[in-house]
Amino acid sequence: MVRRLLALGVVATFLAVPAFAGTAHKDGTPTLDQAPSVPQSESTMRADWVYNTGGSEDFVPTTGGSFDGWGEWFITTVYNDTGSDLTLTELGFPCAGPMTEDYGWLVWLGLGGLVAPTGDAYTADYFGQFTPVDPGPDTFPPTVYTYVDVSAANIVVPAGTYFAFGYDNTGTGGQTDFNGVETWAWYGGLWDPDINYGRTAILQVKGNYGAVPVEQTTWGQIKGLYR
């Protein structure tokens, strides 16, 4: 499990910022009390490797962020420290809302570190549609995972490299109090760090060791797999 040691200066910044517990908006606007959705069963896809920003597979969010008050896209960056190339097989997002657009799920390869991508969602190397299991869009917190099979896209993350992944938040996206894993939301025309608000977005990815030898796939072909 990838974990990151925070510099003292970052910790100090985090402690100085209010966490707005129980709200889906960065300005602290209260969210109406709702009964949280019931967590669904775990994904049936078996894989060699699983990563969840919450620290455990199918971590249940304790709070959430809205598409209009927190961010349109939720992402995180991960370091492949397995010692092997990874072929991604499944992405998992606890979220609620209507069907996403063409860029519903996203993956960037070859990042320079545990940082956000330099461009917006439309710079992703791989992308596709999905429909959230919970239609929402106002479920709070969203606890039902939507699992997206991306194995046909043949996304290979070389050993010792960084990649980012995430999804289009069309209603509410699952989060928890900041736990040392940094995530970002697209807000105000930039990747806004969730650590500034005391939160970590919940995102999950699975993969198998090794690369699957395939012909090079174009963006158009990849997008067509998820229509």
Side-chain angles (χ1 to χ4, degrees):
M1 188 65 66
V2 178
R3 280 291 178 267
R4 195 174 347 157
L5 295 177
L6 298 176
L8 292 177
V10 174
V11 173
T13 299
F14 162 62
L15 293 175
V17 177
F20 297 142
T23 69
H25 304 272
K26 292 180 177 179
D27 64 2
T29 303
T31 299
L32 296 177
D33 291 335
Q34 301 181 46
S37 50
V38 179
Q40 67 181 53
S41 61
E42 296 180 357
S43 165
T44 58
M45 179 174 286
R46 302 182 66 84
D48 297 328
W49 175 84
V50 180
Y51 175 80
N52 189 301
T53 57
S56 60
E57 185 172 355
D58 296 321
F59 178 91
V60 179
T62 57
T63 187
S66 68
F67 75 97
D68 56 350
W70 197 277
E72 180 183 0
W73 303 85
F74 283 13
I75 65 168
T76 193
T77 297
V78 185
Y79 179 61
N80 177 7
D81 62 356
T82 65
S84 173
D85 293 349
L86 285 172
T87 298
L88 304 188
T89 57
E90 182 185 83
L91 305 179
F93 313 120
C95 59
M99 186 180 79
T100 66
E101 299 299 326
D102 287 350
Y103 284 72
W105 61 265
L106 311 163
V107 175
W108 289 262
L109 299 180
L111 273 68
L114 289 172
V115 295
T118 56
D120 63 16
Y122 302 101
T123 65
D125 296 305
Y126 297 88
F127 58 89
Q129 293 180 338
F130 73 93
T131 300
V133 172
D134 183 345
D138 299 321
T139 304
F140 189 85
T143 55
V144 174
Y145 273 76
T146 296
Y147 301 106
V148 185
D149 183 346
V150 298
S151 56
N154 299 304
I155 306 170
V156 179
V157 181
T161 66
Y162 298 86
F163 72 101
F165 74 100
Y167 69 100
D168 184 359
N169 175 26
T170 59
T172 54
Q175 300 173 324
T176 192
D177 291 340
F178 181 69
N179 61 8
V181 179
E182 190 160 358
T183 59
W184 295 266
W186 186 258
Y187 182 79
L190 53 80
W191 293 114
D192 194 23
D194 293 325
I195 185 177
N196 290 347
Y197 309 91
R199 300 279 185 90
T200 292
I202 302 303
L203 304 105
Q204 181 166 290
V205 58
K206 293 183 178 182
N208 288 328
Y209 298 135
V212 178
V214 294
E215 295 180 0
Q216 185 175 1
T217 306
T218 67
W219 284 12
Q221 289 170 322
I222 294 166
K223 184 168 68 172
L225 293 171
Y226 299 93
R227 289 195 179 280

